[in-house]
């Protein structure tokens, strides 16, 4: 039996570590299990990577023992472990953190230091004998009773440090104890009452007799069911159990999902000739049982979802499993309804809208082999299937597949890798494929399949562009007339504006003052419903004042527009009609998303106003008009992909119109009516847009003709973070002189677009190169050297690999 184990700890540490396996754990501990290990004065969750007869040379005497085994069976198999290692290497991210990202929340325990006041600390506060900063800190600890060290350092980032906290402990003012942070999620069990054959030997009461008869008819019932039928059944049931007439057992149950489908059933349609042709090619790939990547380019309403469903059906017949990814906002009750109608309960749902327990239960159903399909947002790519036969990525172009915090992976890119490792079929689908994927298809890396027409040959909507330089107010005359006509014809409309709130910011016209977020380099957005000013990045909020805090002026003015103001304008313009709004503010409560869509499906809602939540995943036949309030919102973003994003967004939103019998109409309002992305979206011309945009990219050597890696430094101190950025540039230039110079160009360092975000200052440097291998090696060396340079300086380096995955 192996005496040593290699562990990846679930912390931002790139190394792996070795521990001794206690004698009582040998034989039980296996690769893929979680363990609790001592690490730098605390206990943390680690993941078993390998079991060894001998540790690496020179460290045997220093090794500590594993404290506890947290699992009875491995959570991670060797195939998933290989996948996690690839992600860790490609994205230059600690392996333990990668594994943590792939597991459901609630499976990670670690110890933390808990602070509480001593008697001397309480006396010092009463006597007011302390310096201002220690007094402020002790007052906060007194208010909380017990509080973690981590939280105190977060509340007072620039006022007190870890050594100063320990200094207060040495003075006897504080007590510091270790405790376990985080509550582990466990399976949910319910009591099952079972009937036991036999006649009662003792007399039973009337209520006991009724319960006994009711359970006998059913064989077994759950305790919640019994409680609904009989009031306070606990004592009679216990008495019947003692008499040997009923038995009680525990059964694991799945917590109810937060997203339930209550929409109308969706009948299975006959495939169109285009769908049959595409499916014929896909089925050849499935039958080959080898890696078969396809890009499905189908116009909006062409039936891509039906192709996915039939391909998944075929994979299930082969006894293999399926992963289907959709962007978070496309995971609508309508899509869930289609999957449930086709596959019943053979389906697990994985996305951030589920509670911790619900998500754990869904993950566990996959891990135990109880279901064959995982449907979800980007994290569903980590579904612990052992025999994946197909991976579907719907709307593969969508930017929400890129995780922007911590592990900055792109779900589409790692879906390619997962399918390749599993020898599975890969389906990437979109009406507006990303330039990178279409370029891959042109080079023969993906097999291109097209669905050029809508189902039943319904025409694409007629699109008109309105130049807002010639219009007054928020809504053009053409858009108002189209809305009026739609209302008169008892049809429904969607209005798209990708900015929530009532006004972008509040301005004092007398002194020019604007309300800014204290944590981020942005102005606060005004929300009319609760009269508040909010930051949409860190959620800082204050009550909206009536007067200017700088000059005392009374004429504060809301500037710019958001969905809340648009909703109000539509209600004022068309009194008496039903106007709904769908954005993050109106969908924050459970089931609110479904209620809004049910209003649209039932015909109760005449006009739905919303952000990009209304753009994707919806198919309502009575929606015949779509209005884009401002096409310029995404066009002027400082990003080389802004034209591509604008074209994709406009095409997708236009595709919501005219999916029923009536022809759809779209009005796009813009101050840039001659821009290529707007004109091509007007004509539904993806090929024309692609040819022009790929030419620009090639001329400027932007992806897919080069690779980009962004190195971003974040820290509490602007001075320290800027100094670290200058040091990063020095290291980068030094590496270029050592042999990387011919293939890599460095841009920056400079302040990030939002120099301050969530209280952190941000500086970045961009590396650009044509060779992925060379650029990756450069990034690895730079990151290693920066880790040494920033140690102890409270500055963190994030490495962000641009999503340009070329097979």
């Amino acid at each position: 039996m192996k005496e040593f184990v290699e562990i990846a700890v679930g912390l931002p540490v790139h190394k792996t570590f070795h521990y001794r396996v206690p004698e009582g754990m040998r034989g039980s501990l296996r690769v893929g299990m979680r363990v609790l290990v001592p690490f730098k004065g605390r206990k943390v969750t680690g993941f078993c990577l390998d079991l060894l007869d001998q540790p690496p040379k020179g460290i045997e005497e220093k090794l500590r023992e594993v404290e506890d085994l947290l699992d009875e069976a491995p959570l991670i198999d060797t195939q998933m472990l290989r996948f996690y290692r690839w992600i860790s290497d490609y994205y230059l991210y600690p392996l333990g953190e990668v594994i943590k990202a792939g597991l459901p929340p609630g499976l990670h325990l670690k110890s933390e230091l808990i602070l509480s006041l001593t008697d001397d600390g309480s006396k010092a506060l009463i006597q007011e004998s302390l310096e201002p900063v220690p007094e402020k800190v002790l007052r906060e600890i007194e208010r909380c009773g017990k509080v973690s060290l981590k939280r105190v350092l977060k509340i007072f980032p620039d006022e007190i440090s870890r050594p100063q906290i320990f200094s207060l402990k040495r003075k006897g003012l504080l007590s510091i104890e270790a405790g376990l942070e985080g509550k582990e999620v466990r399976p949910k069990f319910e009591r099952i009452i079972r009937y036991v054959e036999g006649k009662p030997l003792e007399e039973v009461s009337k209520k006991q007799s009724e319960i006994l008869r009711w359970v006998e008819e059913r064989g077994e019932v759950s305790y919640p069911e019994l409680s609904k039928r009989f009031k306070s059944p606990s004592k009679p049931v216990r008495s019947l159990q003692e008499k040997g007439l009923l038995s009680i057992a525990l059964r694991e149950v799945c917590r109810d999902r937060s997203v339930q489908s209550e929409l109308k059933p969706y009948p299975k349609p006959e495939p169109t000739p285009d769908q049959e042709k595409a499916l014929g090619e896909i089925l050849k790939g499935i039958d080959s049982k080898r890696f078969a990547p396809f890009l499905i380019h189908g116009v909006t309403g062409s039936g891509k979802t039906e192709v996915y469903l039939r391909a998944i059906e075929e994979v299930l017949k082969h006894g293999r499993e399926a992963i289907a990814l959709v962007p978070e906002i496309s995971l609508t009750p309508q899509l869930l309804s289609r999957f449930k109608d086709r596959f019943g309960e053979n389906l697990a749902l994985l996305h951030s809208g589920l509670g911790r327990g619900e998500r754990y239960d869904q993950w566990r159903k996959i891990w135990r082999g109880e279901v064959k399909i995982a449907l979800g947002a980007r994290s569903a790519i980590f579904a612990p299937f052992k025999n994946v036969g197909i991976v579907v990525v719907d709307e593969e172009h969508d930017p929400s597949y890129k995780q922007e915090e911590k592990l900055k992976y792109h779900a589409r890119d790692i879906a390619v890798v997962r399918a390749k490792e599993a020898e599975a079929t890969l389906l990437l689908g979109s009406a507006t494929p990303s330039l990178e994927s279409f370029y891959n298809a042109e080079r023969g890396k993906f097999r291109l399949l097209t669905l050029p027409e809508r189902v039943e040959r319904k025409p694409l909507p007629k699109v008109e562009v309105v130049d807002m330089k010639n219009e007054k107010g928020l809504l053009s005359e053409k858009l108002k007339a189209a809305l009026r006509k739609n209302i008169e014809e008892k049809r429904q409309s969607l209005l798209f504006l990708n900015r929530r709130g009532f006004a972008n910011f509040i301005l004092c016209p007398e002194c020019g003052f604007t309300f800014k977020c204290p944590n981020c380099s942005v102005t606060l957005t005004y929300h009319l419903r609760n009269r508040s000013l909010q930051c949409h990045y860190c959620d800082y909020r204050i009550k909206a004042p009536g007067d200017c805090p700088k000059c005392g002026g009374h004429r504060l003015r809301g500037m710019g527009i958001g969905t809340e103001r648009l909703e109000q304008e539509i209600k004022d313009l068309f009194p008496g009609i039903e106007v709904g709004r769908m954005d993050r503010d109106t969908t924050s409560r459970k089931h609110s998303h479904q209620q809004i869509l049910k209003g649209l499906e039932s015909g109760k809602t005449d006009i739905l106003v919303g952000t990009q939540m209304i753009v994707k995943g919806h198919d309502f036949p009575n929606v015949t008009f779509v209005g884009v309030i401002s096409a310029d919102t995404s066009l002027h973003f400082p990003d080389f992909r802004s034209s591509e994003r604008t074209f994709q967004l406009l095409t997708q939103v236009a595709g919501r119109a005219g999916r029923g019998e009536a022809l759809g109409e779209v009005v796009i309002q813009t101050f840039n009516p001659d821009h290529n992305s707007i004109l091509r979206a007007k004509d539904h011309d993806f090929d024309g847009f692609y040819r022009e945009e790929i030419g620009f990219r090639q001329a400027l050597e932007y992806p897919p003709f080069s690779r980009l890696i962004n190195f971003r430094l974040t820290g509490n101190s602007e001075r320290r973070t800027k100094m670290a950025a200058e040091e990063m540039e020095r290291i980068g230039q030094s590496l270029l002189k050592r042999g990387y110079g011919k293939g890599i160009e460095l841009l920056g360092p400079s302040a990030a677009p939002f120099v301050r975000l969530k209280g952190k200052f941000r500086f970045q440097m961009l590396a650009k190169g044509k060779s992925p291998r060379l650029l990756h090696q450069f990034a690895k060396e730079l990151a290693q050297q920066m880790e040494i340079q920033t140690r102890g300086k409270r500055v963190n380096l994030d490495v962000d690999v641009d999503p340009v995955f070329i097979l």
Side-chain angles (χ1 to χ4, degrees):
M1 284 189 269
K2 312 279 186 180
E3 294 182 33
F4 303 94
V5 60
E6 184 186 4
I7 298 287
V9 292
L11 293 170
V13 182
H14 284 271
K15 284 168 59 181
T16 59
F17 299 88
H18 292 84
Y19 289 85
R20 287 182 186 277
V21 181
E23 206 167 322
M25 212 180 281
R26 291 171 200 168
S28 303
L29 179 60
R30 286 181 279 161
V31 171
M33 287 181 165
R34 293 174 306 141
V35 290
L36 202 62
V37 293
F39 186 81
K40 294 191 175 178
R42 53 184 171 155
K43 295 172 189 173
V44 299
T45 300
F47 306 98
C48 175
L49 304 177
D50 198 8
L51 292 162
L52 312 163
D53 291 316
Q54 296 292 329
K57 284 183 182 177
I59 66 165
E60 187 174 346
E61 290 177 9
K62 303 172 190 172
L63 292 186
R64 300 169 76 183
E65 281 197 342
V66 172
E67 295 242 344
D68 198 4
L69 180 57
L70 300 176
D71 300 313
E72 292 177 7
L75 298 184
I76 308 152
D77 63 21
T78 51
Q79 190 183 29
M80 282 304 287
L81 192 53
R82 196 163 57 245
F83 183 50
Y84 288 138
R85 284 186 189 275
W86 183 91
I87 293 168
S88 171
D89 182 64
Y90 184 74
Y91 290 103
L92 304 177
Y93 204 72
L95 179 56
E97 291 278 271
V98 171
I99 296 171
K100 201 166 89 174
L103 294 175
L107 291 182
H108 188 72
L109 297 174
K110 61 182 178 183
S111 65
E112 61 176 357
L113 297 176
I114 306 294
L115 312 182
S116 57
L117 282 189
T118 59
D119 290 341
D120 286 351
S122 299
K123 284 175 192 170
L125 285 177
I126 293 165
Q127 294 164 3
E128 297 183 350
S129 59
L130 297 163
E131 294 287 318
V133 171
E135 183 176 348
K136 214 157 63 165
V137 171
L138 292 188
R139 292 260 177 233
E140 177 63 23
I141 296 168
E142 182 185 47
R143 187 184 69 79
C144 298
K146 287 190 173 185
V147 62
S148 70
L149 171 63
K150 187 167 74 175
R151 178 163 170 74
V152 169
L153 293 175
K154 196 174 181 179
I155 296 169
F156 307 103
D158 301 320
E159 295 170 87
I160 197 156
S161 64
R162 191 183 173 99
Q164 288 169 314
I165 293 280
F166 278 87
S167 168
L168 294 174
K169 179 185 182 286
R170 284 194 296 274
K171 290 174 183 173
L173 303 173
L174 278 183
S175 165
I176 302 181
E177 298 169 347
L180 276 180
E181 178 189 7
K183 189 179 177 185
E184 189 174 19
V185 176
R186 294 192 177 277
K188 183 182 178 183
F189 292 92
E190 70 177 8
R191 282 184 288 169
I192 298 297
I193 317 297
R194 291 195 179 103
Y195 177 73
V196 178
E197 294 283 346
K199 289 184 179 178
L201 300 174
E202 299 175 47
E203 201 174 309
V204 294
S205 69
K206 185 185 175 187
K207 188 172 183 179
Q208 288 173 3
S209 177
E210 285 173 2
I211 289 173
L212 194 61
R213 199 178 309 117
W214 195 75
V215 175
E216 184 183 3
E217 286 169 7
R218 288 154 184 78
E220 66 173 41
V221 294
S222 70
Y223 190 79
E225 280 180 88
L226 193 70
S227 299
K228 281 179 190 172
R229 178 69 179 76
F230 298 96
K231 195 177 178 183
S232 307
S234 182
K235 279 186 179 177
V237 166
R238 202 177 309 122
S239 177
L240 289 167
Q241 184 193 16
E242 286 165 4
K243 290 168 183 173
L245 301 171
L246 293 180
S247 69
I248 301 174
L250 289 176
R251 179 173 68 190
E252 187 177 334
V253 291
C254 192
R255 278 159 272 229
D256 290 337
R257 290 200 301 255
S258 297
V259 177
Q260 294 289 351
S261 168
E262 297 172 20
L263 300 179
K264 295 172 188 169
Y266 197 98
K268 186 174 180 177
E270 284 299 312
T272 65
D274 289 330
Q275 287 174 329
E276 281 190 327
K277 189 179 172 185
L279 278 163
E281 295 300 318
I282 293 166
L283 297 188
K284 285 179 199 171
I286 292 169
D287 290 338
S288 74
K289 296 185 180 173
R290 302 190 59 172
F291 177 53
F294 296 93
L295 174 65
I296 304 174
H297 176 210
V299 298
T300 55
S302 60
K304 293 184 289 296
T305 305
E306 184 58 32
V307 173
Y308 306 151
L309 294 170
R310 286 175 180 264
I312 291 170
E313 281 178 328
E314 191 63 29
V315 164
L316 297 188
K317 286 177 193 170
H318 285 66
R320 300 184 78 184
E321 297 142 345
I323 297 173
L325 304 186
V326 293
E328 186 83 57
I329 56 174
S330 295
L331 195 55
T332 59
Q334 198 171 42
L335 182 70
L336 179 58
S337 182
R338 289 191 68 176
F339 268 81
K340 283 204 77 176
D341 288 347
R342 197 67 61 90
F343 303 112
E345 294 302 315
N346 195 15
L347 176 72
L349 189 64
L350 295 170
H351 69 103
S352 62
L354 300 175
R356 280 158 54 103
E358 292 169 324
R359 201 161 166 188
Y360 172 75
D361 286 350
Q362 295 295 308
W363 181 90
R364 199 167 155 81
K365 277 165 73 175
I366 299 167
W367 178 70
R368 286 161 57 161
E370 293 171 7
V371 294
K372 296 287 184 184
I373 304 163
L375 170 66
R378 58 179 176 246
S379 62
I381 193 58
F382 298 112
F385 285 128
K386 293 175 175 60
N387 187 19
V388 174
I390 191 167
V391 179
V392 175
V393 186
D394 188 27
E395 310 287 8
E396 65 83 29
H397 68 278
D398 198 281
S400 71
Y401 281 125
K402 174 80 188 301
Q403 168 127 325
E404 295 296 350
E405 292 187 355
K406 297 187 177 178
L407 171 59
K408 293 178 171 58
Y409 69 92
H410 197 292
R412 178 199 63 216
D413 293 355
I414 64 174
V416 176
V417 176
R418 178 122 199 228
K420 192 176 182 186
E421 287 202 346
E423 296 281 353
T425 299
L426 172 74
L427 301 185
L428 305 178
S430 177
T432 53
S434 64
L435 263 70
E436 290 79 21
S437 291
F438 206 78
Y439 181 70
N440 256 340
E442 281 201 321
R443 294 179 67 210
K445 302 291 183 183
F446 297 151
R447 177 78 188 274
L448 181 65
L449 304 173
T450 57
L451 300 174
E453 291 184 333
R454 282 186 159 186
V455 173
E456 296 175 5
R457 301 201 166 183
K458 289 170 187 166
L460 287 164
K462 178 189 166 198
V463 182
E464 290 187 73
V465 175
V466 176
D467 186 350
M468 292 303 284
K469 294 193 287 291
N470 308 320
E471 300 284 337
K472 290 177 183 175
L474 176 60
L475 304 175
S476 64
E477 291 305 317
K478 192 171 286 264
L479 194 142
K480 284 191 271 193
L483 282 174
R484 197 172 290 113
K485 177 172 170 274
N486 233 31
I487 292 165
E488 287 166 2
E489 292 176 355
K490 301 271 189 276
R491 300 197 184 278
Q492 294 167 299
S493 307
L494 299 181
L495 293 179
F496 167 66
L497 176 62
N498 212 16
R499 186 177 282 139
R500 61 193 173 103
F502 190 84
N504 300 0
F505 61 96
I506 298 286
L507 173 78
C508 174
E510 292 173 27
C511 71
F513 176 81
T514 58
F515 293 86
K516 291 189 171 69
C517 176
N519 308 313
C520 310
S521 304
V522 292
T523 52
L524 297 174
T525 302
Y526 177 55
H527 288 252
L528 180 67
R529 181 176 287 182
N530 54 10
R531 308 274 175 185
S532 68
L533 292 167
Q534 297 178 22
C535 174
H536 290 169
Y537 292 91
C538 71
D539 209 31
Y540 172 83
R541 55 186 70 199
I542 55 170
K543 277 282 173 196
D547 301 327
C548 174
K550 187 177 178 185
C551 72
H554 307 304
R555 297 191 300 124
L556 292 179
R557 188 184 298 164
M559 307 297 287
I561 55 161
T563 47
E564 198 178 15
R565 181 177 160 198
L566 177 59
E567 178 191 23
Q568 192 63 51
E569 292 234 358
I570 296 297
K571 283 178 177 176
D572 294 344
L573 194 62
F574 303 108
I577 67 149
E578 191 69 33
V579 182
R581 174 161 61 94
M582 183 182 270
D583 55 27
R584 200 178 297 172
D585 298 323
T586 61
T587 57
S588 54
R589 289 185 177 179
K590 268 191 180 183
H591 310 304
S592 52
H593 194 269
Q594 288 131 290
Q595 292 309 313
I596 294 167
L597 291 179
K598 278 179 84 176
L600 203 62
E601 186 186 65
S602 66
K604 184 186 168 191
T605 302
D606 299 302
I607 299 174
L608 181 63
V609 170
T611 57
Q612 55 182 332
M613 283 186 175
I614 68 169
V615 173
K616 300 173 187 127
H618 309 305
D619 187 348
F620 295 109
N622 201 37
V623 171
T624 55
F625 176 71
V626 170
V628 178
I629 304 305
S630 173
D632 309 312
T633 312
S634 57
L635 196 56
H636 300 303
F637 204 74
D639 183 350
F640 70 90
R641 288 192 176 95
S642 61
S643 289
E644 182 186 1
R645 297 261 160 86
T646 301
F647 172 79
Q648 288 166 343
L649 209 48
L650 294 179
T651 304
Q652 294 284 341
V653 74
R656 298 311 105 199
R659 287 177 170 238
E661 298 304 317
L663 177 68
E665 285 185 72
V666 180
V667 169
I668 296 173
Q669 298 187 157
T670 176
F671 287 94
N672 298 274
D674 299 321
H675 195 281
N676 176 51
S677 62
I678 292 170
L679 291 175
R680 297 292 185 185
K682 173 182 177 288
D683 298 332
H684 308 283
D685 184 8
F686 173 80
D687 289 334
F689 175 78
Y690 173 77
R691 295 284 156 232
E692 199 160 344
E693 187 68 15
I694 204 80
F696 293 147
R697 298 273 184 97
Q698 191 163 16
L700 296 168
E701 292 190 340
Y702 275 125
F705 302 99
S706 66
R707 306 288 180 276
L708 300 175
I709 295 183
N710 193 26
F711 301 92
R712 181 173 290 147
L713 289 159
T714 57
N716 294 328
S717 159
E718 184 175 15
R719 184 184 63 83
R720 276 201 298 263
T721 311
K722 193 175 181 181
M723 282 172 63
E726 288 162 0
E727 180 62 22
M728 180 167 68
E729 183 189 24
R730 187 194 64 74
I731 292 169
Q733 293 297 344
S734 167
L735 289 171
L736 293 188
K737 286 172 187 170
R738 274 179 35 205
Y740 290 104
K742 288 180 182 178
I744 293 171
E745 179 187 357
L746 290 182
L747 306 170
S750 62
F754 297 120
V755 70
R756 196 166 187 227
L757 200 67
K758 297 180 182 178
K760 302 283 185 185
F761 291 95
R762 309 171 342 135
F763 288 83
Q764 63 189 34
M765 182 173 78
L766 198 66
K768 183 178 174 186
K770 289 191 174 182
S771 164
R773 190 172 282 113
L774 187 71
L775 193 62
H776 193 264
Q777 191 55 42
F778 170 83
K780 214 169 193 174
E781 285 200 43
L782 180 69
Q784 284 168 354
Q785 291 196 38
M786 281 303 294
E787 190 180 357
I788 296 163
Q789 290 297 324
T790 56
R791 201 170 286 156
K793 294 180 182 175
R794 297 172 79 179
V795 175
N796 295 319
L797 174 67
D798 278 332
V799 181
D800 192 353
V801 181
D802 188 71
V804 193
F805 195 74
I806 306 294
L807 282 167

